[in-house]
Amino acid sequence: MLRHEVVVVGAGLAGQRAALAAIEAGRDVALLTKLHPLRSHSGAAQGGINAAVGAEDSVDTHIFDTVKGSDYLGDQDAIEFFCREAGPTVVEMEHFGTIFSRGPDGSLARRPFGGAHFPRTIYAADRTGLALLQALWERLGGEHLTLYEEWDLLRLIVRDGRVQGVVAFDRRRGTFEEIAAKAVVLATGPAGRIYARTTNAHSCTGDGIALAYEAGAALKDMEFVQFHPTALLESGILITEGARGEGGLLKNASGDRFMATYAPHVLELASRDVVSRAIVTEIGAGRGFSGPYGGYVHLELMHLGREKIESRLQEICDFARHFAGIDPVTQPIPVYPAQHYMMGGIGTDAKGATNVRGLYAAGEAACVSIHGANRLGGNSLLETLVFGKQAGLAAAAYADTAAAPEMHASDLDDATGPLRAWSAKPDGEDPSALRAEMQATMEQYVGIYRDEAGLLEGIRRIRALRARFGNVRVVDRSQVYNLNLTDALETGHMLELAEAIVVGAYARTESRGAHARTDFPKRDDAQWMRHTLASRGPEGPVLSYAPVGYTRWDPTERVY
Amino acid sequence: MLTLANLRMNDPGVRAKVDGALKPLGIEYRGTVRVKHLLRVLVEDIGIPALRAKVRRPLGGLKIGAFYGCHLLRPSDEMGWESGEEPHAFEDLLDALGAEPVAYRGRVMCCGFPIQFVKPETASRIAGRQIADAQDHGAHAMATPCPLCHISLDAYQNEASRAVGRPLAMPVFHLPQVVGLALGASPEELGLARHLVPTEPALARISAPART
Amino acid sequence: MAAGAISVPLEVYRFDPAHDPAPRYDRYTVELEPHVPVLSALLKVRAEIDPTLTLRYSCRSAICGSCALQINSKSRLACETPVGPEIERHGRIVVEPMRNQPVLRDLVVDQGPFWHQYDRIDPHLRPDPAHPMPVDAPTSMSPEQVERFKETPRCIACAACFSACPAVEADPTFPGPMALAKLYRFVVDPRDGTTQDRLVRIQTEGLWLCLRCHLCTEACPKDVRPSERIRDLKEMAIAVQGATERGSRHAVGFKENIRVAGTLNETRLVRQTDGVVGMVGQLGQGLRIWRKKPELLHRPKPIQGQAEVDQIYEALDDAKGGP
């Protein structure tokens, strides 16, 4: 059996930063990931990372913008810590070797982003995530680290109220592996693939969130799902908010800048939930464009000129050209809102600790919560690094004093039994068909606008799919890179989370941030300024609620 | 290479440097000389139909592996001509000459020559792979528009054969030689005797009668 | 079938070394619009025809670098290669795993050799202890300095260049295009304190094995242009260390050689590169060539205007601030 003090699962920015922190604290660390670290979805983040370093800006303004952006569901104490860490975090990443874009005076260049008072988003062209991921891997790769590359997490072993280790699956060899660990940090990213239209990579299937839930961790605020306003039609590929930050305009089929109706002061740079709802409303009212891939609006960059478009928005220029056959220098880009980010996740405190001893989480898989009901652009890259480090430090400190973990002989068989059964069946459900039905269900009933009838139908359908998943079958018998098997594994994880999302959304009878109920259009602070916690019960999620951390920012109406 | 040199003349720094070196001699160069490879002239300026009409001795029966050479094609965005990986001009030309062009992956690969003086065994292994690839796809001969490729493929073919551990006997023509043959020039006029790998077996494959 | 869909015949490499005696090509036909990428075609096969087909993929937007394959023999990202032009040109799409990395199964390769070469160039920023980073502040770096990285920060480590490279195929000591482009990224970084050591080391660790064939630049989906960055590294290496290796001696020798007569003296070039001792080793080959091409034995006569050639050399040497 393998043995490490700290096992970090997921090798994007949060996982790598956690691993680095734990190594620097003197622990023996393993990094387990289903993708090579450089292929993590963090690398797809385009726009930038927020830090209030401009002379006109202040940490307090960053805090306020984040609190307001969260629609007052973010924990203000955690947000204060988060925004104070922003400057040092960016400086550290610069010293690690990140190649940021620069201003003429040699300082870090900044661009405006939605929901922010000042240009606060530091960037590396429109590939900021990739730039950070490269620099961090170049830094971490020089450390003593055990890398379990292309391994899937199968189960967290929790006994006597604390983590004892993990069971994993080596994709390349097809073997099941046990790793005893004192502490585990989950940084496995989001579950965007629950939805049909998503900007997320195919790998974003919420494995760590689902396995934490299975192991007894509470999930927080799962009903808050962010839809990014500008995904490329058909493929759902992200067109960064930086495109609007650089001056891109949104127009409907009549050529009107319709955001003037919804956010008269800041127009295109309103918060993401506001812009996404505006687009859906325009399309619903017949003012959008329509085509074989559904309704859409135009994102216009042409007036920015070739040089600005090709230098600052190089990647999305390529995306539009390659994936939509559109040249943004001369043509508008067809866009629609698509699932983009999960504000919710494994509930943690500001140190990354969950309600399970020895289990930590960070990044998009976790919910601290700093994003509350809606995340601001430029805050998620920052979150991965700030709270990745905190989780790594906390896990290292815990592992330093924790007793040796105890794995039992039956752990491996228990964890792998279901997988072996899937492969032994003569017939059964096709995991990719179940996945497609789940995606369509979530898109239709748990999307940008929600109501009671739709959510009830959503619950019914997701539960029916979960029942059918009990009969899932894997037809591929190969040991090596068996995607049919990992498809089934991931689909099972996503179905668990889909249920938590839809049940949480049904219960929350108000509209706040990204959660928009047409039957409860107003924010209800008296009843609902509190976090949803979902624990796994035999009949599905068991909901409870927790107060929001408050320091000094009283809720007001959110207008942009 | 000369095409790329012309492109570099668009860089003001390079231009100033060139001006500085040429001015004392009373010479000026603005990068305006049009550079065009013989293959391109044959295909674009003379044209396939005109060339086909001039053929006196069709190369019927002869299977030829076109070997492009890197610098004729790549970087393709700067050369602004054929695809850098899937060109067809040379095959079109061979077809016009009555020969049968052979499809093989090695046709757009490197001949190894650039590192002949750096690491000869690696250079020969690279050459050997391309020759063997042509041979495996049924080529009786190869033809190349690049004189350095010719050295690598012909003059060093015995080394290439040793490097890939298999016998190779592949006549390699220069581009003008295959055109000359089809247009009726004699092997003597074309200097075929100067090749290291004898070309006679390839010539013997030509089955079509000469036209008059 | 969606409006404008075309029939896309695929021939896909299938091989499970544990079970199959030899690779085979499975044929599938899917209906897709021409702009749809090959990755979508393969995922459609997986979802609707054969779930046992295996490949690496993740972001489907050309940023994670997972899905590089050979598509009709070209090394490409499957997610950004549309089916239409391939069908137009070839009538079918042959999909094979990347080259130069052993096949694990079907389209999935063992990327070990690729990452090994990446590790070899020491891909870690090595700040100069004598010039510590500013405390609590980012390093100052002008936009011009950022420009010097060229397009190397765009590299997504997809290994398409590694798959396309004939030098990688022929010689395991060649680091390959990606690793060398990555090395360039560190060499031009003003924060790195080991630039000179990196250049000196790479001179003997494969830099001069680049063939300048530009196949990497053709294959690169992010326009990193590795072949051009390798050229830059060669120039920088000579500037730092002089012509100490066969490759650099050949490059510098070539330049000096032409100065003498205004045209190349090929026999002399061999001596400049290999030295007299090295030349003896090539004597057998030389004799074979000289017999067929006797003119190579004669020292070329200076061309008309050789004096002007000399003057140009002098002016360029002066411009550089010395010979």
Side-chain angles (χ1 to χ4, degrees):
Chain A
M1 189 195 313
L2 302 163
R3 196 173 277 279
H4 297 278
E5 287 180 290
V6 177
V7 170
V8 178
V9 186
L13 287 172
Q16 285 193 38
R17 192 62 191 82
L20 180 59
I23 289 168
E24 286 180 338
R27 299 285 83 75
D28 163 41
V29 179
L31 186 57
L32 187 157
T33 167
K34 68 178 182 178
L35 304 162
H36 185 279
L38 285 175
R39 314 214 182 287
S40 305
H41 190 54
S42 299
Q46 297 172 2
I49 178 167
N50 291 338
V53 296
E56 76 287 7
D57 206 350
S58 72
V59 170
D60 262 10
T61 319
H62 187 189
I63 296 168
F64 172 72
D65 287 341
T66 304
V67 170
K68 177 184 168 190
S70 81
D71 220 351
Y72 300 91
L73 192 67
D75 291 326
Q76 296 180 8
D77 44 353
I79 292 172
E80 296 210 7
F81 171 77
F82 169 70
C83 295
R84 274 189 252 290
E85 285 294 305
T89 299
V90 169
V91 167
E92 179 180 76
M93 287 308 297
E94 198 280 331
H95 289 181
F96 284 178
T98 308
I99 302 168
F100 285 113
S101 297
R102 301 285 176 152
D105 61 350
S107 67
L108 302 177
R110 285 171 283 123
R111 61 167 50 126
F113 247 43
H117 266 84
F118 301 106
R120 178 186 294 145
T121 306
I122 291 159
Y123 60 94
D126 54 353
R127 49 173 177 274
T128 314
L130 182 67
L132 293 167
L133 191 64
Q134 286 174 347
L136 188 51
W137 181 239
E138 285 154 12
R139 175 71 179 75
L140 180 62
E143 300 287 341
H144 178 75
L145 170 79
T146 306
L147 180 66
Y148 298 114
E149 183 191 333
E150 299 194 321
W151 283 30
D152 289 87
L153 184 64
L154 291 184
R155 182 167 287 187
L156 291 161
I157 304 302
V158 175
R159 195 173 295 114
D160 306 328
R162 68 181 187 97
V163 163
Q164 311 284 350
V166 302
V167 176
F169 172 65
D170 178 344
R171 279 191 185 194
R172 288 185 287 194
R173 289 186 302 138
T175 53
F176 298 117
E177 308 284 349
E178 286 173 285
I179 310 175
K182 291 178 176 175
V184 172
V185 181
L186 296 173
T188 51
R193 285 281 155 181
I194 287 179
Y195 285 85
R197 288 174 163 187
T198 176
T199 63
N200 283 191
H202 286 278
S203 55
C204 297
T205 54
D207 308 310
I209 311 175
L211 291 166
Y213 182 53
E214 181 196 77
L219 305 186
K220 193 193 286 177
D221 294 339
M222 291 296 284
E223 63 269 31
F224 294 97
V225 177
Q226 181 169 78
F227 289 78
H228 195 288
T230 58
L232 202 54
L233 192 68
E234 187 187 358
S235 61
I237 290 168
L238 173 66
I239 300 294
T240 174
E241 187 164 322
R244 281 170 288 136
E246 296 291 349
L249 307 177
L250 288 170
K251 291 191 178 170
N252 62 20
S254 324
D256 294 331
R257 274 181 82 182
F258 56 87
M259 282 311 297
T261 316
Y262 305 89
H265 304 299
V266 293
L267 290 100
E268 282 84 359
L269 287 180
S271 185
R272 288 179 178 172
D273 55 335
V274 175
V275 182
S276 288
R277 281 195 295 272
I279 294 173
V280 170
T281 305
E282 287 293 301
I283 293 169
R287 292 190 292 270
F289 299 89
S290 61
Y293 303 103
Y296 60 95
V297 297
H298 276 162
L299 173 63
E300 287 192 4
L301 304 177
M302 297 98 80
H303 59 287
L304 301 178
R306 178 179 297 274
E307 200 201 315
K308 192 169 181 181
I309 297 173
E310 288 185 348
S311 62
R312 297 208 205 159
L313 301 168
Q314 195 176 22
E315 302 296 333
I316 69 145
C317 229
D318 278 10
F319 293 160
R321 287 170 183 166
H322 284 131
F323 302 110
I326 295 286
D327 185 352
V329 174
T330 57
Q331 294 166 285
I333 306 172
V335 294
Y336 65 49
Q339 191 285 342
H340 180 59
Y341 189 85
M342 292 174 58
M343 273 67 75
I346 306 163
T348 72
D349 62 16
K351 301 282 180 202
T354 69
N355 59 321
V356 175
R357 214 146 43 98
L359 182 63
Y360 300 80
E364 198 171 339
C367 178
V368 175
S369 151
I370 49 158
H371 308 306
N374 175 65
R375 175 180 69 84
L376 293 190
N379 270 354
S380 62
L381 284 177
L382 182 59
E383 181 196 17
T384 61
L385 296 165
V386 169
F387 292 107
K389 178 179 174 182
Q390 292 306 311
L393 288 173
Y398 168 79
D400 194 25
T401 56
E406 275 183 46
M407 296 285 274
H408 288 182
S410 58
D411 287 340
L412 190 71
D413 275 357
D414 287 352
T416 60
L419 278 73
R420 285 177 281 123
W422 297 341
S423 299
K425 285 191 189 123
D427 60 331
E429 296 279 354
D430 169 12
S432 62
L434 292 176
R435 183 184 292 214
E437 285 186 49
M438 168 191 67
Q439 291 170 335
T441 301
M442 294 301 282
E443 194 74 36
Q444 188 172 353
Y445 300 107
V446 205
I448 293 181
Y449 283 115
R450 302 158 177 187
D451 63 26
E452 182 178 312
L455 291 167
L456 278 174
E457 181 62 14
I459 291 172
R460 193 186 66 75
R461 289 183 184 228
I462 292 296
R463 289 197 167 144
L465 287 168
R466 284 199 60 194
R468 283 167 60 194
F469 183 78
N471 190 33
V472 76
R473 178 189 180 219
V474 169
V475 299
D476 189 351
R477 295 283 183 272
S478 174
Q479 293 285 99
V480 184
Y481 230 85
N482 187 332
L483 285 192
N484 192 205
L485 181 66
T486 50
D487 269 354
L489 194 62
E490 294 170 342
T491 301
H493 294 158
M494 287 192 287
L495 280 168
E496 290 267 359
L497 301 181
E499 190 184 15
I501 291 172
V502 65
V503 167
Y506 172 74
R508 187 175 282 271
T509 50
E510 66 156 352
S511 289
R512 180 185 298 268
H515 175 64
R517 290 277 302 250
T518 52
D519 45 355
F520 297 94
K522 291 265 182 264
R523 195 174 80 196
D524 178 359
D525 289 334
Q527 167 89 0
W528 285 110
M529 207 170 97
R530 51 186 190 160
H531 297 295
T532 306
L533 294 175
S535 301
R536 192 170 186 264
E539 308 295 326
V542 178
L543 301 186
S544 60
Y545 294 91
V548 170
Y550 171 84
T551 57
R552 54 189 163 127
W553 314 92
D554 288 326
T556 56
E557 199 190 344
R558 200 161 139 258
V559 180
Y560 287 100
Chain B
M1 281 300 202
L2 294 175
T3 304
L4 300 185
N6 264 351
L7 282 175
R8 289 188 83 173
M9 287 295 289
N10 293 329
D11 176 338
V14 172
R15 204 150 158 162
K17 200 168 152 188
V18 171
D19 278 343
L22 296 184
K23 204 161 260 169
L25 306 174
I27 310 172
E28 192 180 60
Y29 184 59
R30 305 273 73 156
T32 49
V33 172
R34 275 189 70 203
V35 179
K36 202 160 189 181
H37 193 277
L38 174 63
L39 178 61
R40 206 170 160 184
V41 171
L42 288 169
V43 172
E44 289 182 354
D45 297 55
I46 296 174
I48 295 294
L51 210 58
R52 202 183 292 275
K54 286 188 190 303
V55 169
R56 293 286 164 271
R57 188 191 187 208
L59 306 181
L62 184 58
K63 291 185 179 180
I64 302 183
F67 191 86
Y68 279 83
C70 300
H71 299 295
L72 187 61
L73 299 172
R74 295 184 292 266
S76 59
D77 54 352
E78 294 187 327
M79 298 306 288
W81 182 41
E82 280 263 52
S83 153
E85 295 152 297
E86 299 177 320
H88 54 83
F90 203 174
E91 281 81 3
D92 294 350
L93 175 88
L94 291 172
D95 179 70
L97 303 178
E100 189 182 323
V102 173
Y104 68 112
R105 176 176 177 268
R107 72 199 182 98
V108 292
M109 299 296 279
C110 179
C111 68
F113 184 84
I115 56 167
Q116 184 63 53
F117 294 98
V118 178
K119 200 167 178 184
E121 60 275 26
T122 300
S124 293
R125 202 173 304 130
I126 293 169
R129 288 193 182 183
Q130 321 315 346
I131 300 167
D133 192 21
Q135 193 163 296
D136 292 344
H137 285 82
H140 304 134
M142 293 167 79
T144 178
C146 171
L148 297 180
C149 292
H150 194 271
I151 295 176
S152 200
L153 299 175
D154 177 64
Y156 285 89
Q157 194 172 118
N158 55 340
E159 309 279 338
S161 165
R162 207 168 352 210
V164 293
R166 53 183 283 190
L168 299 171
M170 180 65 69
V172 185
F173 295 108
H174 287 283
L175 164 68
Q177 289 175 326
V178 275
V179 177
L181 274 178
L183 264 50
S186 70
E188 294 71 33
E189 286 174 288
L190 297 169
L192 293 182
R194 289 161 51 88
H195 289 209
L196 271 86
V197 179
T199 53
E200 288 79 2
L203 300 181
R205 292 277 180 176
I206 302 173
S207 56
R211 287 185 217 147
T212 47
Chain C
M1 192 198 292
I6 56 169
S7 181
V8 179
L10 296 157
E11 292 175 25
V12 183
Y13 179 98
R14 304 298 305 272
F15 185 44
D16 188 346
H19 298 109
D20 305 332
R24 65 178 194 278
Y25 288 80
D26 280 353
R27 290 160 190 260
Y28 312 97
T29 300
V30 289
E31 310 291 328
L32 291 167
E33 289 177 73
H35 70 276
V36 169
V38 171
L39 177 62
S40 300
L42 295 171
L43 296 185
K44 200 171 161 73
V45 168
R46 275 188 46 70
E48 296 172 11
I49 307 173
D50 186 351
T52 70
L53 170 64
T54 191
L55 70 154
R56 271 196 191 93
Y57 65 98
S58 180
C59 78
R60 59 77 171 89
S61 60
I63 201 73
C64 76
S66 298
C67 69
L69 297 168
Q70 285 194 90
I71 296 169
N72 284 330
S73 293
K74 303 178 295 290
S75 295
R76 288 289 186 274
L77 291 181
C79 71
E80 69 161 14
T81 304
V83 295
E86 294 302 317
I87 296 295
E88 241 169 69
R89 183 160 287 196
H90 300 278
R92 57 177 185 163
I93 302 180
V94 180
V95 184
E96 296 165 298
M98 280 195 282
R99 301 174 75 88
N100 301 332
Q101 298 152 90
V103 172
L104 287 174
R105 183 182 164 206
D106 294 350
L107 302 173
V108 178
V109 295
D110 171 6
Q111 300 216 266
F114 171 73
W115 293 119
H116 167 71
Q117 297 295 351
Y118 166 81
D119 287 338
R120 262 184 64 203
I121 61 102
D122 189 32
H124 313 292
L125 190 72
R126 303 285 182 202
D128 183 355
H131 297 93
M133 305 265 191
V135 179
D136 298 335
T139 318
S140 178
M141 200 189 290
S142 66
E144 291 70 36
Q145 274 172 315
V146 176
E147 285 284 301
R148 288 196 69 206
F149 291 104
K150 304 279 185 184
E151 303 294 332
T152 55
R154 295 187 72 192
C155 175
I156 55 171
C158 67
C161 60
F162 194 80
S163 168
C165 177
V168 166
E169 188 177 324
D171 196 324
T173 69
F174 181 54
M178 181 272 189
L180 289 171
K182 181 61 77 178
L183 177 67
Y184 172 92
R185 169 252 171 280
F186 287 104
V187 164
V188 299
D189 195 321
R191 296 167 293 192
D192 195 89
T194 61
T195 293
Q196 301 219 345
D197 300 343
R198 289 180 188 276
L199 286 169
V200 167
R201 225 186 66 188
I202 200 63
Q203 282 236 59
T204 55
E205 293 188 4
L207 175 63
W208 292 96
L209 290 176
C210 169
L211 299 157
R212 308 191 294 279
C213 71
H214 300 296
L215 280 162
C216 53
T217 292
E218 296 291 322
C220 177
K222 307 308 276 188
D223 205 26
V224 169
R225 305 186 85 81
S227 51
E228 295 177 5
R229 301 296 74 81
I230 297 171
R231 176 201 65 205
D232 295 339
L233 284 173
K234 287 173 175 172
E235 285 177 8
M236 288 186 278
I238 291 177
V240 161
Q241 202 185 12
T244 56
E245 303 307 311
R246 288 174 92 184
S248 45
R249 283 204 306 272
H250 186 71
V252 173
F254 203 99
K255 185 184 124 196
E256 292 309 318
N257 183 308
I258 291 176
R259 183 174 192 163
V260 175
T263 184
L264 192 64
N265 178 339
E266 296 185 46
T267 307
R268 183 159 173 269
L269 182 61
V270 178
R271 195 173 73 230
Q272 284 169 318
T273 304
D274 287 346
V276 177
V277 178
M279 258 182 104
V280 173
Q282 302 224 22
L283 209 57
Q285 183 65 20
L287 283 174
R288 273 193 297 277
I289 296 175
W290 284 329
R291 209 170 53 224
K292 293 281 190 172
K293 306 176 189 209
E295 73 281 4
L296 289 176
L297 279 171
H298 304 302
R299 177 185 303 194
K301 283 202 196 86
I303 61 160
Q304 197 185 352
Q306 184 276 331
E308 288 180 329
V309 171
D310 195 66
Q311 268 179 284
I312 293 172
Y313 269 80
E314 206 162 296
L316 287 173
D317 282 346
D318 286 351
K320 241 187 258 171

